[in-house]
Amino acid sequence: MHTSHLYETDFYGWTQEQATLLKAQQWEQLDTVNLIEEIESLGRKERQELRNRLGLLLGHLLKWQFQPDKRSNSWLSTIREQRVQIRLLLQDSPSLKPYLDEVFLAAYELGLALAIRETQLGEQVFPEECPYTPEQVMNPKFLPESNQMDA
């Protein structure tokens, strides 16, 4: 079949051909196997983007909490930007909202790895489980308090 060969050799050309066939309602000529795979892949990418953005946000919240002496406008900017990007992603794809709770644990693991790597603090400094709720994380006014024992 010509369309499945095009899928392997010229992906962009294949997408344009599939769009033309869909618009013309030429169902029998569609490369349905690859079309189904690509549509499912798009859904996975949306979920991955949500997980990765949430992980980045959680990592910066941990840095903010556990390294208060190094707080910066850059960290604050990242926290704000990720919240906005997550909110926009959920507005564009409301069916991802239940996935937010489902992915929270995996996102915390990503955030924890980021915080450990970027702060160079030991793993034992950070909580094993996420110290924030999804509601706190998405609240634009929420910033965690310092957890260091300076006194």
Side-chain angles (χ1 to χ4, degrees):
M1 175 182 244
H2 171 62
T3 58
S4 61
H5 175 70
L6 192 58
Y7 177 80
E8 300 295 330
T9 59
D10 182 1
F11 183 75
Y12 178 76
W14 175 85
T15 63
Q16 299 310 294
E17 181 178 81
Q18 296 308 297
T20 300
L21 293 170
L22 283 166
K23 287 175 190 172
Q25 299 182 8
Q26 295 179 343
W27 315 121
E28 66 286 340
Q29 293 182 33
L30 286 170
D31 181 4
T32 53
V33 172
N34 288 317
L35 197 53
I36 290 167
E37 183 179 318
E38 290 303 320
I39 290 171
E40 288 173 341
S41 174
L42 288 173
R44 284 190 299 274
K45 286 179 184 175
E46 292 289 301
R47 288 169 50 129
Q48 288 170 345
E49 182 178 353
L50 178 60
R51 183 193 63 223
N52 292 340
R53 287 191 179 280
L54 188 56
L56 187 58
L57 173 55
L58 286 165
H60 277 76
L61 289 172
L62 287 169
K63 287 169 43 173
W64 186 270
Q65 181 174 357
F66 289 90
Q67 240 183 0
D69 54 318
K70 298 203 175 177
R71 289 177 180 168
S72 69
N73 285 334
S74 173
W75 288 2
L76 195 53
S77 177
T78 298
I79 289 168
R80 285 182 182 143
E81 179 185 353
Q82 294 313 310
R83 282 178 171 150
V84 168
Q85 292 292 348
I86 291 168
R87 184 177 45 78
L88 292 173
L89 182 61
L90 293 175
Q91 282 176 355
D92 289 345
S93 299
S95 62
L96 281 175
K97 284 181 184 169
Y99 184 66
L100 185 67
D101 290 332
E102 184 181 325
V103 76
F104 204 74
L105 177 62
Y108 182 67
E109 290 177 18
L110 291 172
L112 182 59
L114 179 142
I116 291 168
R117 182 178 67 249
E118 292 189 4
T119 64
Q120 298 181 357
L121 296 173
E123 186 174 343
Q124 71 282 358
V125 171
F126 299 99
E128 278 185 44
E129 294 183 16
C130 186
Y132 326 118
T133 66
E135 293 76 23
Q136 287 175 316
V137 169
M138 292 308 299
N139 181 343
K141 297 187 187 309
F142 172 76
L143 286 172
E145 294 297 318
S146 170
N147 222 33
Q148 291 197 335
M149 295 179 252
D150 297 325

